[in-house]
Amino acid sequence: MDSTALPDVEGGLFDAHLHIIAPGFPLIPNQGYLPDFFTVDDYLARARPLGITGGAVVSGSFQGFDQTYLLDALARLGPGFVGVTQLPADTPDDVILDLDSKGVRAVRFNLQRGGSEDVSQLERMALRVHELCGWHVELYVANRHLAGLRDLLARLPKVSIDHLGLTAEGFDDLLWLVERGVKVKATGFGRCDFDVAEALRRIDAVNPEALMFGTDLPCTRAPRAFRPEDVELLIDSVQRLSRLALIGNSTLLYFDRSTPRTDEIRKK
């Protein structure tokens, strides 16, 4: 699809979920799986024709707690791009602040594949990184597992959930969280076991500030990889509000640095 077919979004599109897998950096087999390399140049060759000018580089399960690849990728991609990393709970403040100065903006909890800190550390880490430098938390979690996390996630300051939550089971729990301000990545359509267009419409109807477009490139282990028509599907599903989903919601989440005090967060 030619980028001229997309809406006239000032500044280009923001890809809220992408992976960079570069030679020379540590990789950890996950359940015996190691991905193929997908470099910055590989990504830009796919992203530029779509009109993408910024995005969020997300750490995968196979990258564990390594940030060296991420900082290298951000330096190569430039200021329109930010990072989402995985950190152990005992990471010192000065390390987090240094990562922040280099463009990292969120910490990820991967409940699907592992490679991240345990979910028992979620609340403490979410409050800590938000108060320290305005970061949010991102979860790779299936909707079917949200019931036991709903109340916790609803009281955190900033949360996003990957790949539309993956499963039809528990989708109402996702909508409950969306109503309370949780963001949802419109990514990984080939990973979902439901009608994606209908899911996009339902999320947008509850909160038009929730959806965030992303490619999920290179779509490791996905049953179906991203294709340009997925952008058209998102635009058709949310129609007049597509600009929010394509750039506005993501840029607000990743670049708004407001940091309310922890005790105020806990009162919500």
Side-chain angles (χ1 to χ4, degrees), residues 85-107:
T85 193
Q86 296 166 160
L87 293 172
D90 60 358
T91 303
D93 286 358
D94 61 340
V95 172
I96 296 172
L97 290 169
D98 182 62
L99 291 171
D100 179 75
S101 72
K102 294 171 180 174
V104 180
R105 294 293 180 264
V107 62

Side-chain angles (χ1 to χ4, degrees), residues 121-185:
Q121 299 294 328
L122 173 58
E123 182 170 22
R124 183 167 75 89
M125 287 191 73
L127 294 173
R128 180 179 166 221
V129 299
H130 187 263
E131 185 173 35
L132 189 63
C133 47
W135 287 12
H136 63 279
V137 291
E138 301 195 2
L139 278 76
Y140 186 15
V141 58
N143 292 328
R144 66 166 64 97
H145 299 307
L146 288 178
L149 296 170
R150 283 190 355 166
D151 292 342
L152 166 61
L153 297 180
R155 66 176 178 261
L156 296 182
K158 291 183 181 180
V159 178
S160 74
I161 293 176
D162 295 344
H163 310 321
L164 300 172
L166 301 170
T167 62
E169 181 183 353
F171 192 79
D172 286 343
D173 291 314
L174 180 68
L175 293 179
W176 185 90
L177 288 167
V178 166
E179 188 175 14
R180 287 154 181 82
V182 169
K183 307 290 188 183
V184 179
K185 292 190 179 182

Side-chain angles (χ1 to χ4, degrees), residues 203-224:
I203 292 169
D204 188 66
V206 171
N207 183 358
E209 297 181 354
L211 288 171
M212 303 186 298
F213 158 74
T215 65
D216 187 34
L217 287 170
C219 310
T220 57
R221 288 187 278 197
R224 175 182 72 75

Side-chain angles (χ1 to χ4, degrees), residues 33-264:
Y33 173 81
L34 277 177
D36 294 331
F37 293 130
F38 187 73
T39 66
V40 166
D41 288 342
D42 293 331
Y43 172 73
L44 292 176
R46 299 281 300 277
R48 282 172 173 157
L50 295 170
I52 292 170
T53 57
V57 183
V58 178
S59 291
S61 60
F62 40 78
Q63 288 160 323
F65 295 134
D66 174 58
Q67 283 91 44
T68 57
Y69 94 91
L70 181 59
L71 298 182
D72 180 78
L74 294 178
R76 291 172 183 268
L77 286 164
F81 289 82
V82 296
V84 178
T85 193
Q86 296 166 160
L87 293 172
D90 60 358
T91 303
D93 286 358
D94 61 340
V95 172
I96 296 172
L97 290 169
D98 182 62
L99 291 171
D100 179 75
S101 72
K102 294 171 180 174
V104 180
R105 294 293 180 264
V107 62
R108 191 187 199 204
F109 283 77
N110 191 330
L111 280 63
Q112 285 295 108
R113 304 287 189 185
S116 66
E117 183 56 91
D118 188 79
V119 71
S120 64
Q121 299 294 328
L122 173 58
E123 182 170 22
R124 183 167 75 89
M125 287 191 73
L127 294 173
R128 180 179 166 221
V129 299
H130 187 263
E131 185 173 35
L132 189 63
C133 47
W135 287 12
H136 63 279
V137 291
E138 301 195 2
L139 278 76
Y140 186 15
V141 58
N143 292 328
R144 66 166 64 97
H145 299 307
L146 288 178
L149 296 170
R150 283 190 355 166
D151 292 342
L152 166 61
L153 297 180
R155 66 176 178 261
L156 296 182
K158 291 183 181 180
V159 178
S160 74
I161 293 176
D162 295 344
H163 310 321
L164 300 172
L166 301 170
T167 62
E169 181 183 353
F171 192 79
D172 286 343
D173 291 314
L174 180 68
L175 293 179
W176 185 90
L177 288 167
V178 166
E179 188 175 14
R180 287 154 181 82
V182 169
K183 307 290 188 183
V184 179
K185 292 190 179 182
T187 59
F189 294 172
R191 302 180 188 271
C192 300
D193 69 2
F194 47 74
D195 184 313
V196 168
E198 178 62 19
L200 293 170
R201 286 190 288 269
R202 292 180 68 189
I203 292 169
D204 188 66
V206 171
N207 183 358
E209 297 181 354
L211 288 171
M212 303 186 298
F213 158 74
T215 65
D216 187 34
L217 287 170
C219 310
T220 57
R221 288 187 278 197
R224 175 182 72 75
F226 169 81
R227 55 196 184 202
E229 291 79 9
D230 291 342
V231 185
E232 295 175 347
L233 175 61
L234 175 59
I235 292 170
D236 290 343
S237 299
V238 302
Q239 296 182 8
R240 66 184 179 83
L241 298 175
S242 61
R243 294 188 182 191
L244 288 178
L246 289 168
I247 183 169
N249 296 338
S250 295
T251 53
L252 181 62
L253 179 67
Y254 286 103
F255 294 99
D256 178 8
R257 312 308 306 282
S258 60
T259 55
R261 292 169 49 216
T262 303
D263 58 348
E264 295 173 343

